[in-house]
mmCIF file of all heavy atoms in Angstrom:
data_model
loop_
_atom_site.group_PDB
_atom_site.id
_atom_site.type_symbol
_atom_site.label_atom_id
_atom_site.label_comp_id
_atom_site.label_asym_id
_atom_site.label_seq_id
_atom_site.Cartn_x
_atom_site.Cartn_y
_atom_site.Cartn_z
ATOM 1 N N PHE D 133 -17.093 32.521 16.569
ATOM 2 C CA PHE D 133 -16.966 33.532 15.511
ATOM 3 C C PHE D 133 -18.022 34.620 15.712
ATOM 4 O O PHE D 133 -17.715 35.819 15.727
ATOM 5 C CB PHE D 133 -17.112 32.834 14.158
ATOM 6 C CG PHE D 133 -16.994 33.723 12.951
ATOM 7 C CD1 PHE D 133 -16.069 34.760 12.909
ATOM 8 C CD2 PHE D 133 -17.797 33.511 11.841
ATOM 9 C CE1 PHE D 133 -15.951 35.568 11.791
ATOM 10 C CE2 PHE D 133 -17.683 34.316 10.720
ATOM 11 C CZ PHE D 133 -16.772 35.343 10.695
ATOM 12 N N LEU D 134 -19.268 34.169 15.919
ATOM 13 C CA LEU D 134 -20.353 35.138 16.154
ATOM 14 C C LEU D 134 -20.061 35.989 17.379
ATOM 15 O O LEU D 134 -20.164 37.222 17.349
ATOM 16 C CB LEU D 134 -21.683 34.407 16.355
ATOM 17 C CG LEU D 134 -22.329 33.777 15.129
ATOM 18 C CD1 LEU D 134 -23.590 33.028 15.533
ATOM 19 C CD2 LEU D 134 -22.673 34.848 14.114
ATOM 20 N N ALA D 135 -19.662 35.334 18.470
ATOM 21 C CA ALA D 135 -19.434 36.062 19.717
ATOM 22 C C ALA D 135 -18.288 37.048 19.564
ATOM 23 O O ALA D 135 -18.358 38.178 20.072
ATOM 24 C CB ALA D 135 -19.145 35.076 20.847
ATOM 25 N N SER D 136 -17.235 36.651 18.819
ATOM 26 C CA SER D 136 -16.102 37.571 18.702
ATOM 27 C C SER D 136 -16.471 38.765 17.832
ATOM 28 O O SER D 136 -15.987 39.873 18.077
ATOM 29 C CB SER D 136 -14.889 36.838 18.135
ATOM 30 O OG SER D 136 -15.186 36.294 16.878
ATOM 31 N N MET D 137 -17.337 38.559 16.840
ATOM 32 C CA MET D 137 -17.776 39.719 16.051
ATOM 33 C C MET D 137 -18.538 40.688 16.941
ATOM 34 O O MET D 137 -18.373 41.915 16.857
ATOM 35 C CB MET D 137 -18.639 39.273 14.876
ATOM 36 C CG MET D 137 -17.826 38.646 13.767
ATOM 37 S SD MET D 137 -18.704 38.527 12.225
ATOM 38 C CE MET D 137 -19.778 37.161 12.526
ATOM 39 N N GLY D 138 -19.383 40.137 17.835
ATOM 40 C CA GLY D 138 -20.082 40.995 18.791
ATOM 41 C C GLY D 138 -19.101 41.709 19.694
ATOM 42 O O GLY D 138 -19.269 42.891 20.005
ATOM 43 N N GLY D 139 -18.038 40.991 20.092
ATOM 44 C CA GLY D 139 -17.022 41.592 20.953
ATOM 45 C C GLY D 139 -16.341 42.776 20.288
ATOM 46 O O GLY D 139 -16.100 43.802 20.922
ATOM 47 N N VAL D 140 -16.055 42.647 18.992
ATOM 48 C CA VAL D 140 -15.438 43.757 18.267
ATOM 49 C C VAL D 140 -16.321 44.997 18.359
ATOM 50 O O VAL D 140 -15.844 46.117 18.538
ATOM 51 C CB VAL D 140 -15.221 43.361 16.790
ATOM 52 C CG1 VAL D 140 -14.908 44.587 15.948
ATOM 53 C CG2 VAL D 140 -14.115 42.342 16.660
ATOM 54 N N LEU D 141 -17.635 44.767 18.277
ATOM 55 C CA LEU D 141 -18.557 45.902 18.191
ATOM 56 C C LEU D 141 -18.749 46.617 19.521
ATOM 57 O O LEU D 141 -19.117 47.788 19.535
ATOM 58 C CB LEU D 141 -19.911 45.439 17.650
ATOM 59 C CG LEU D 141 -19.862 44.836 16.250
ATOM 60 C CD1 LEU D 141 -21.224 44.318 15.853
ATOM 61 C CD2 LEU D 141 -19.387 45.866 15.243
ATOM 62 N N ILE D 142 -18.546 45.912 20.663
ATOM 63 C CA ILE D 142 -18.750 46.608 21.931
ATOM 64 C C ILE D 142 -17.438 46.939 22.628
ATOM 65 O O ILE D 142 -17.444 47.613 23.660
ATOM 66 C CB ILE D 142 -19.662 45.818 22.898
ATOM 67 C CG1 ILE D 142 -19.130 44.421 23.123
ATOM 68 C CG2 ILE D 142 -21.087 45.785 22.403
ATOM 69 C CD1 ILE D 142 -19.877 43.673 24.203
ATOM 70 N N ALA D 143 -16.302 46.521 22.088
ATOM 71 C CA ALA D 143 -15.028 46.813 22.738
ATOM 72 C C ALA D 143 -14.770 48.317 22.712
ATOM 73 O O ALA D 143 -15.070 48.987 21.727
ATOM 74 C CB ALA D 143 -13.897 46.096 22.011
ATOM 75 N N ALA D 144 -14.219 48.843 23.807
ATOM 76 C CA ALA D 144 -13.959 50.284 23.873
ATOM 77 C C ALA D 144 -12.535 50.578 24.309
ATOM 78 O O ALA D 144 -12.255 51.637 24.850
ATOM 79 C CB ALA D 144 -14.961 50.969 24.795
ATOM 80 N N ASP D 145 -11.631 49.618 24.152
ATOM 81 C CA ASP D 145 -10.226 49.946 24.267
ATOM 82 C C ASP D 145 -9.473 49.106 23.240
ATOM 83 O O ASP D 145 -9.982 48.092 22.754
ATOM 84 C CB ASP D 145 -9.706 49.678 25.688
ATOM 85 C CG ASP D 145 -9.749 48.215 26.034
ATOM 86 O OD1 ASP D 145 -10.826 47.746 26.483
ATOM 87 O OD2 ASP D 145 -8.743 47.530 25.833
#
Side-chain angles (χ1 to χ4, degrees):
Chain D
F133 181 39
L134 287 177
S136 59
M137 285 196 284
V140 166
L141 299 176
I142 55 172
D145 65 275

